[in-house]
Amino acid sequence: MVAFLRKLLVRGLSTSRDVERWTGLPYLGAIPRAQARASRLNPSAAVVEYDDPALAASFKNLHATFLRECPGARVVALSSAVPKDGKTTCSVALARTSALRGHRTVLLDFDLRRRSASAELRKPAAVGLLEVMSGRARLDEGLYFDGFTPLYVLPASDDLELVRKAVVKDVFSSPMMTELVTVLRRRFDYIFIDTPPLLAVADTRHIAPHVDAFLFVTRWGRTPKDSVAAAVDLLKSTRTPLAGVVLTQAPPQAPPRAAEKTGVVARGVECDPLSDAHGTLRRRSSLDTADSRRLAGG
């Protein structure tokens, strides 16, 4: 009886069957609630601090699942229906894991209003995404080194006036967006993008044409199922391949990923020749300043 009542109180997705029923997408796995104090404060740090083995393992498993289910996808965006569903934590953790495996990786903070990834990584943004896209700075001036991993970060801007102008001009639909992604593809093996929540603003739909695959993140048992379904429908309307759904802040008994039920879902994406199965670190190559200057109009 108690179990039945608890199930009635769960508003969001909580099982792989829920995921398939409400989204029509594969269930990629669950990220458990942080147990260690440090991980509760900054869950994505688990991949470098190792103070929460279960949390660290879940991020590594998710990264391995992404590589298996989206062969060839190099520009990967993460989004959610609403704020605080865990998309930023997953974005940072996946990007850090990718860098630790030896892939040249960059994380882009495209959530202009919240700047969540920039805050989680504690990166200053005197020069960031919008300064680069507006031509005020070169690309290599806006890129920051993570410090804990070989990850590069292009943070969102702290200039609120620049953010306001970017929103009005719909910067993600501009030619500069196309040029930015083109240059970054030349420099990096993988580009992870932390995008705004889908039901809050339209930015993510404008980012979609530049993305190889989307990962949809939702909080276990919390985000209303109707909201999740509506957000996924918006993503489907962009015709961008959807890798599947990740449940965050799940209890320990959350079901494991059923690999046999997923299949290859990122259609039209070819095998990635840059995948490093041994996880050895490659020597970081310097940025091409000529391309950076061209991007900045210099």
Side-chain angles (χ1 to χ4, degrees):
M1 184 65 176
V2 173
F4 176 73
L5 291 175
R6 284 178 178 171
K7 188 173 181 179
L8 289 179
L9 293 175
V10 174
R11 298 189 302 163
L13 308 183
S14 59
T15 66
S16 57
R17 184 173 297 179
D18 282 346
V19 169
E20 294 169 358
R21 176 187 174 189
W22 286 90
T23 70
L25 298 174
Y27 169 61
L28 297 181
I31 306 299
R33 298 189 190 108
Q35 300 300 312
R37 181 177 182 275
S39 291
R40 288 197 297 271
L41 296 174
N42 187 356
S44 65
V47 299
V48 292
E49 296 291 344
Y50 304 111
D51 64 332
D52 195 328
L55 185 60
S58 70
F59 286 129
K60 292 178 181 178
N61 289 339
L62 178 59
H63 180 260
T65 300
F66 152 70
L67 290 179
R68 182 171 60 250
E69 300 298 338
C70 303
R74 296 178 54 207
V75 182
V76 185
L78 287 86
S79 194
S80 61
V82 296
K84 299 185 177 180
D85 265 10
K87 67 171 180 62
T88 296
T89 294
C90 287
S91 298
V92 175
L94 284 176
R96 279 177 161 172
T97 302
S98 176
L100 287 170
R101 283 178 57 87
H103 303 300
R104 293 170 297 168
T105 306
V106 63
L107 173 66
L108 312 181
D109 188 351
F110 277 12
D111 195 346
L112 301 180
R113 298 161 185 81
R114 294 174 180 80
R115 303 185 292 281
S116 302
S118 304
E120 185 156 334
L121 289 165
R122 298 182 176 88
K123 292 303 174 186
V127 176
L129 172 70
L130 295 181
E131 284 78 10
V132 172
M133 293 186 72
S134 66
R136 295 186 183 184
R138 299 192 308 272
L139 176 60
D140 48 350
E141 293 177 321
L143 286 168
Y144 295 82
F145 200 55
D146 178 22
F148 295 99
T149 68
L151 172 69
Y152 283 95
V153 182
L154 183 57
S157 175
D158 283 337
D159 188 331
L160 296 182
E161 180 61 22
L162 197 57
V163 171
R164 187 191 66 79
K165 291 179 180 179
V167 170
V168 171
K169 293 181 179 179
D170 191 11
V171 68
F172 294 128
S173 295
S174 71
M176 285 300 294
M177 173 67 177
T178 302
E179 190 171 355
L180 174 65
V181 174
T182 299
V183 171
L184 290 174
R185 279 183 184 271
R186 296 191 192 120
R187 299 294 158 268
F188 296 96
D189 301 336
Y190 291 101
I191 302 166
F192 286 90
I193 304 176
D194 184 40
T195 69
L198 280 152
L199 299 184
V201 294
D203 293 357
T204 300
R205 281 165 277 170
H206 297 150
I207 295 166
H210 306 281
V211 170
D212 295 333
F214 264 101
L215 272 66
F216 186 83
V217 179
T218 187
R219 186 170 174 178
W220 186 95
R222 179 65 64 89
T223 307
K225 296 172 183 175
D226 289 340
S227 297
V228 170
V232 169
D233 284 344
L234 287 174
L235 272 185
K236 288 179 178 179
S237 70
T238 68
R239 300 185 181 279
T240 303
L242 306 181
V245 176
V246 181
L247 301 182
T248 63
Q249 298 190 45
Q253 69 270 24
R257 197 189 79 84
E260 70 277 5
K261 294 183 179 180
T262 59
V264 177
V265 294
R267 296 178 298 277
V269 181
E270 298 177 352
C271 183
D272 179 13
L274 297 173
S275 178
D276 183 359
H278 300 289
T280 54
L281 287 176
R282 301 176 186 173
R283 185 170 53 191
R284 296 189 297 274
S285 59
S286 60
L287 295 170
D288 189 321
T289 55
D291 279 335
S292 300
R293 285 194 294 271
R294 184 170 67 251
L295 177 66

